[in-house]
Amino acid sequence: MARKSIQFKIHGATADVVGKTHGLTPKEWSALSREIAGIVGRLNRERDRTPYRDVPHRQGLSQLGAVLASARAKAGLFDDVVILGIGGSALGLTALKTALRTPYWNSLPREKRQGLPRVWVMDNVDPDEFATMLDLIDPKRTLVNVISKSGSTAETVSQFLLVMELLESCVGKRNLRRHVVVTTDARAGLLRPLVNEMGLESFVVPDGVGGRFSVMTPVGTFPAAMIGIDVRALLAGTRAMDKRCTAGRLDDNPAAAGAAVQIGLYRKGKTMSVMMPYAAALRDVADWYRQLWAESLGKTTAGGEQVGPTPIKALGVTDQHSQVQLYRDGPNDKVFTILSVDRFGCTLPLPQAPAGLGGADYLEGRTMKDLLKAEERATIWALAAVSKRPTTQIVLPRADAWNVGGLLYMLMVETSIAGAMLGINTYDQPGVEAGKEAARALMGVHGDISSPTAKGLPAEAASYEGLRRLIDDADV
Ligand code: PA5
């Protein structure tokens, strides 16, 4: 039987439903189709300029054997896996873990985790939070995976220093190697020389694949394999979606259709983009997408125009009792993407209401899933049909590795197409680099800063001392 695929539904964002001011007319759709067919054609021809698209094929597969062998060899040896990384080096794994592992994974007893380790994704440098995590783990039974494409991000390096000190004091310098895996660039950064010096196990973040596009590389696949996620299925789903994403027609290419709606409506004043999953499993997909979209598209064009839709994450049904009031009655400046799942692990039948709770009779014979689905449908109807808010829907047959791989990949390609439509460089992040350099300057780093403007800094910030002075003088 043929596998059901992810569906993208745009009806709620068309002028038919939300009117000409807020939705796309057939004429606009045809113009977007022509524009995007050209972009997709170019992306297909120039795949070497977007190396992440090679990851589910050659790049990803070349390391898959080593990833799986390493995870297999470590089975049963560790109770905890600690991930040190930030931004694109953390959010993809978090999305995979929430989507593809049982809820409350770390709180489950070991047998309910099939003996697999707990996982801690440490993507901050809050001292209280980090110290608490260190207290919760037994270093002798812990594997640390430090992940940094650049190999020099201050947050990740500082975490690594603390963890190395703890490991060394508990397992001894000689045994450190058994507890550390490094995922970083093949050559650049501070971590690769350490790998070579200490003989640490390592994986490579492929050249040209930035953090936010790296979830299908060992950045995501190694820790995912450590907690039993089917990474073969993940990559297979990604490959199947890649095929769909090469199609020139919007009807056949969900990434292209997504970009058409998002950027088509951005040009009509919908400057915010809300992603609202109706499945707790996909909650962190929205968080991952928020970074992918913001860091890729929030840019200044060569002509000096500042562009980029603001991504917002929400969660159905929880945020129906929070943000939906604003979404329905506040400014009509948003486009909504509802993420839906057809099949859940269970449906949870609702029991008969006790005497005295007569008003709850309507729930009898229904399931918790029925209620979730009713609320999802009602929200789409209220947003689009009643309040005229453009609303699309992405439907997953189920939240399994194949579909989640496909979904993440589809959103990456959608981002590439959107970036081309906006006329910006989707793959750099000068605003983020500037923050990294400024933090380094304030922490006392000395010496020259090469190409400060390319890093989003003023030209005068040619050294860390100069940058420190600029920050002090600004007195903000
Ligand atoms: O997506 C990106 O490029 C960024 O969010 C990076 O992942 C983040 O800044 C961490 O960088 P690195 O992996 O080099 O430590």
Side-chain angles (χ1 to χ4, degrees):
M1 201 173 69
R3 194 189 269 274
K4 270 181 87 183
S5 309
I6 293 176
Q7 267 183 288
F8 181 59
K9 299 184 176 177
I10 63 146
H11 189 55
T14 61
D16 272 359
V17 176
V18 294
K20 277 187 190 160
T21 311
H22 302 298
L24 294 168
T25 64
K27 200 168 156 204
E28 287 166 337
W29 191 248
S30 301
L32 286 163
S33 302
R34 284 192 296 279
E35 178 185 355
I36 290 177
I39 292 171
V40 171
R42 184 160 51 73
L43 289 174
N44 288 345
R45 283 192 304 279
E46 299 175 354
R47 280 178 78 102
D48 52 331
R49 291 198 183 192
T50 48
Y52 79 88
R53 297 202 62 178
D54 195 27
V55 167
H57 305 280
R58 201 168 46 84
Q59 298 242 35
L61 297 184
S62 70
Q63 293 191 78
L64 184 63
V67 159
L68 294 175
S70 176
R72 238 186 342 260
K74 292 175 177 55
L77 299 181
F78 299 104
D79 296 331
D80 289 283
V81 175
V82 174
I83 308 301
L84 309 178
I86 194 164
S89 291
L91 290 161
L93 172 64
T94 300
L96 294 180
K97 180 200 148 221
T98 309
L100 300 173
R101 296 288 70 185
T102 318
Y104 310 112
W105 179 256
N106 282 1
S107 306
L108 296 174
R110 198 181 155 87
E111 50 301 351
K112 290 217 165 170
R113 283 184 273 115
Q114 298 86 43
L116 292 160
R118 302 186 295 183
V119 62
W120 309 90
V121 184
M122 305 310 294
D123 63 351
N124 206 343
V125 285
D126 182 295
D128 290 335
E129 182 183 60
F130 204 78
T132 306
M133 180 280 294
L134 293 180
D135 272 351
L136 283 169
I137 58 166
D138 170 3
K140 294 195 175 101
R141 301 272 310 163
T142 296
L143 180 79
V144 175
N145 182 197
V146 53
I147 306 176
S148 175
K149 160 82 177 161
S150 64
S152 55
T153 300
E155 292 90 337
T156 308
V157 172
S158 73
Q159 294 174 332
F160 191 46
L161 294 176
L162 283 164
V163 166
M164 288 291 266
E165 183 189 57
L166 178 71
L167 281 177
E168 198 174 322
S169 69
C170 293
V171 304
K173 200 168 183 147
R174 268 186 327 136
N175 295 319
L176 260 180
R177 269 191 297 165
R178 284 197 223 144
H179 293 262
V180 179
V181 175
V182 179
T183 306
T184 191
D185 191 81
R187 294 164 294 275
L190 306 177
L191 293 173
R192 188 52 66 184
L194 187 79
V195 167
N196 298 335
E197 161 110 15
M198 293 183 66
L200 297 174
E201 184 178 352
S202 74
F203 295 105
V204 171
V205 188
D207 286 346
V209 180
R212 56 195 179 273
F213 291 92
S214 70
V215 55
M216 301 301 164
T217 73
V219 169
T221 56
F222 172 65
M226 282 298 300
I227 53 170
I229 289 173
D230 184 351
V231 294
R232 279 187 199 284
L234 194 73
L235 288 171
T238 305
R239 274 193 300 280
M241 179 56 77
D242 182 41
K243 209 164 162 203
R244 291 176 74 187
C245 291
T246 56
R249 286 184 62 231
L250 294 185
D251 286 350
D252 303 329
N253 181 338
V261 173
Q262 293 285 340
I263 303 304
L265 289 173
Y266 174 75
R267 290 170 181 163
K268 292 180 81 170
K270 309 296 173 212
T271 55
M272 308 203 196
S273 170
V274 178
M275 179 173 276
M276 190 163 180
Y278 270 78
L282 301 181
R283 172 203 302 254
D284 290 321
V285 168
D287 202 27
W288 168 84
Y289 180 65
R290 186 173 63 137
Q291 187 233 3
L292 175 70
W293 198 246
E295 213 166 283
S296 301
L297 303 182
K299 301 279 164 68
T300 303
T301 66
E305 192 192 350
Q306 292 164 342
V307 298
T310 301
I312 298 170
K313 61 170 181 168
L315 181 67
V317 305
T318 308
D319 287 322
Q320 282 179 221
H321 301 265
S322 151
Q323 299 162 54
V324 167
Q325 174 58 41
L326 167 76
Y327 295 165
R328 287 199 56 196
D329 290 349
N332 194 341
D333 55 2
K334 301 172 190 67
V335 47
F336 294 89
T337 306
I338 305 293
L339 295 186
S340 308
V341 173
D342 277 343
R343 281 182 61 194
F344 285 71
C346 66
T347 55
L348 221 50
L350 297 170
Q352 189 180 15
L357 201 59
D361 282 353
Y362 70 97
L363 293 170
E364 194 187 325
R366 310 304 297 267
T367 66
M368 190 171 268
K369 182 190 167 190
D370 292 337
L371 179 61
L372 178 80
K373 284 294 180 192
E375 299 209 32
E376 173 188 300
R377 205 171 152 202
T379 302
I380 295 174
W381 168 77
L383 284 170
V386 184
S387 298
K388 307 295 172 201
R389 314 287 152 142
T391 305
T392 64
Q393 197 184 1
I394 300 174
V395 186
L396 273 67
R398 58 192 305 161
D400 59 10
W402 201 85
N403 284 301
V404 170
L407 175 66
L408 298 184
Y409 189 80
M410 167 187 147
L411 295 170
M412 288 192 255
V413 179
E414 177 189 301
T415 306
S416 288
I417 298 171
M421 293 172 81
L422 291 171
I424 46 101
N425 179 350
T426 310
Y427 310 102
D428 66 357
Q429 54 283 321
V432 174
E433 304 302 340
K436 288 186 179 183
E437 295 297 16
R440 267 197 276 271
L442 292 175
M443 290 297 282
V445 173
H446 296 284
D448 292 343
I449 300 178
S450 63
S451 329
T453 49
K455 292 185 174 132
L457 293 167
E460 309 92 277
S463 69
Y464 289 101
E465 291 78 359
L467 177 53
R468 199 156 48 238
R469 263 194 310 278
L470 284 177
I471 298 171
D472 285 343
D473 291 348
D475 192 28
V476 283

